[in-house]
Amino acid sequence: MLKRNTESVQVPAPRTSMSSTLVGRLMRNRWLYMMVFPGLLYFLIFKYWPMYGIFIAFQDFQPFLGFWNSPFVGLKHFERLFSDSNFIILFRNTIILATYNILFFFPLPIIIALMLNELRLEFTKRIVQTLIYIPHFMSWVVVVGISYMFLTTEGGIMNELLVRFGGEKINFLVSNEWFRTIITAEVMWKETGWGTIIFLAALSGVDPQLYEAARMDGANRLRQLWHITLPAIRSTIVILLILRLGNFLDTGFEQIFLMLNAMNREVGEVFDTYVYSVGISQGQYSFSTAVGVFKSIVGLILVVVANRLAKKFGEEGIY
């Protein structure tokens, strides 16, 4: 008798095409993708699509000729920027203001968030949070107007206090020595509260059992802060610092433009205001674009260097 082959024959599984797998994944996560879509659309329209405009920096752009018919001039506008007698002054002022923001403004939201995290009364914590959030929603016109009321020599609160305590009036608004301090102080007052949101969110993820274990080991509040709280938000601090360096040369046009005058322009003129006064107002769009490209390249270099340093010291970085 012939023996029947009882070995099972393996039938290959039907291949699923990449398109069907992609569609299945999209359908499973459709609500998540719908939530992401508005933000993605925003970046595509307002961030990525306008990037083709950087080619204007290499042209003598003429609006009536259009983007494709304007003459190509290579690095002419970059050479003009770097050879301009004002370049060193602009670069120095921008770097100093940006450094002030990193040194004095960036740590402040971290400190405020740590202080708020130590509050035990939720009602008090919410009141304080609301009060420090409010300035973020004011326009720079309002903030500069408040600064003028405080610092003007004609009835300004600061000068009235100086006179009352036996001092002399100081014309803060036209002083080269006080300009950068005032600019940094305005940024700190306006944006510190808003900056605490991310750090408070990071602090909310710290395991409370770590604090209980630390208290059982005899650690006081300061040691708990140093050994538990700060290490828990260290990665968040590093990532935000790297992102901040990406906008290092963006010192804020509106604020500085409103605070500038003929007396403090020597220390207050930065790339943003220079682009407006020389480029936009006079219709030199190619030169304005060249300045923007230069700032972007500097920001990109700073992000790459900072990210590599972060990884070297054991942090994740942003990519």
Side-chain angles (χ1 to χ4, degrees), residues 90 252-254 256-258 260 265 269-285 287-289 291-292 295:
L90 295 171
F253 164 75
E254 186 178 1
I256 297 178
F257 181 76
L258 293 170
L260 274 181
R265 189 171 295 274
E269 188 83 88
V270 294
F271 285 117
D272 293 330
T273 55
Y274 182 72
V275 164
Y276 175 77
S277 59
V278 176
I280 304 300
S281 297
Q282 300 177 18
Q284 302 179 30
Y285 303 112
F287 180 70
S288 305
T289 306
V291 178
K295 289 171 53 182

Side-chain angles (χ1 to χ4, degrees), residues 67-319:
F67 181 77
W68 300 110
N69 297 322
S70 296
F72 181 80
V73 295
L75 300 176
K76 170 187 172 182
H77 300 293
F78 293 94
E79 293 173 356
R80 174 190 168 187
L81 172 64
F82 297 137
S83 61
D84 194 331
S85 58
N86 293 319
F87 176 77
I88 299 299
I89 298 174
L90 295 171
F91 192 74
R92 180 196 64 195
N93 293 342
T94 305
I95 288 293
I96 291 175
L97 283 174
T99 304
Y100 276 22
N101 283 335
I102 293 293
L103 292 179
F104 299 107
F105 167 66
F106 182 78
L108 195 57
I110 303 173
I111 296 171
I112 299 298
L114 293 173
M115 295 172 65
L116 289 172
N117 189 58
E118 295 297 320
L119 291 177
R120 293 294 175 259
L121 296 176
E122 285 297 324
F123 178 77
T124 305
K125 184 176 179 179
R126 290 176 182 175
I127 292 295
V128 174
Q129 284 181 277
T130 302
L131 291 176
I132 63 177
Y133 290 167
I134 290 175
H136 170 77
F137 299 98
M138 297 181 181
S139 70
W140 278 115
V141 176
V142 175
V143 174
V144 171
I146 294 173
S147 299
Y148 269 75
M149 289 191 297
F150 270 85
L151 302 175
T152 182
T153 55
E154 303 298 327
I157 297 175
M158 291 297 297
N159 279 302
E160 292 297 328
L161 290 175
L162 287 174
V163 172
R164 180 165 299 184
F165 287 101
E168 297 182 357
K169 290 185 177 182
I170 301 175
N171 203 339
F172 295 100
L173 300 176
V174 298
S175 171
N176 288 345
E177 291 78 12
W178 285 96
F179 179 82
R180 292 164 181 156
T181 303
I182 294 171
I183 291 294
T184 307
E186 288 176 349
V187 174
M188 293 167 64
W189 180 75
K190 185 177 187 295
E191 300 296 343
T192 295
W194 191 254
T196 61
I197 294 177
I198 296 178
F199 296 109
L200 286 172
L203 289 171
S204 65
V206 181
D207 190 353
Q209 294 182 358
L210 296 175
Y211 293 106
E212 295 177 5
R215 283 193 294 268
M216 293 179 63
D217 291 337
N220 56 25
R221 298 288 286 274
L222 185 59
R223 287 190 174 275
Q224 294 175 32
L225 176 67
W226 183 258
H227 293 288
I228 299 176
T229 308
L230 283 177
I233 64 172
R234 183 175 57 191
S235 60
T236 304
I237 295 173
V238 171
I239 291 174
L240 290 179
L241 178 59
I242 295 173
L243 295 176
R244 183 77 180 179
L245 290 175
N247 298 320
F248 186 71
L249 296 185
D250 292 334
T251 51
F253 164 75
E254 186 178 1
Q255 176 197 14
I256 297 178
F257 181 76
L258 293 170
M259 293 294 297
L260 274 181
N261 53 60
M263 302 298 293
N264 59 24
R265 189 171 295 274
E266 182 180 353
V267 298
E269 188 83 88
V270 294
F271 285 117
D272 293 330
T273 55
Y274 182 72
V275 164
Y276 175 77
S277 59
V278 176
I280 304 300
S281 297
Q282 300 177 18
Q284 302 179 30
Y285 303 112
S286 295
F287 180 70
S288 305
T289 306
V291 178
V293 171
F294 166 72
K295 289 171 53 182
S296 300
I297 292 174
V298 172
L300 177 62
I301 293 172
L302 289 174
V303 167
V304 171
V305 172
N307 191 74
R308 289 188 177 182
L309 288 175
K311 289 189 173 182
K312 185 177 181 180
F313 287 99
E315 299 296 332
E316 294 183 359
I318 60 174
Y319 63 88

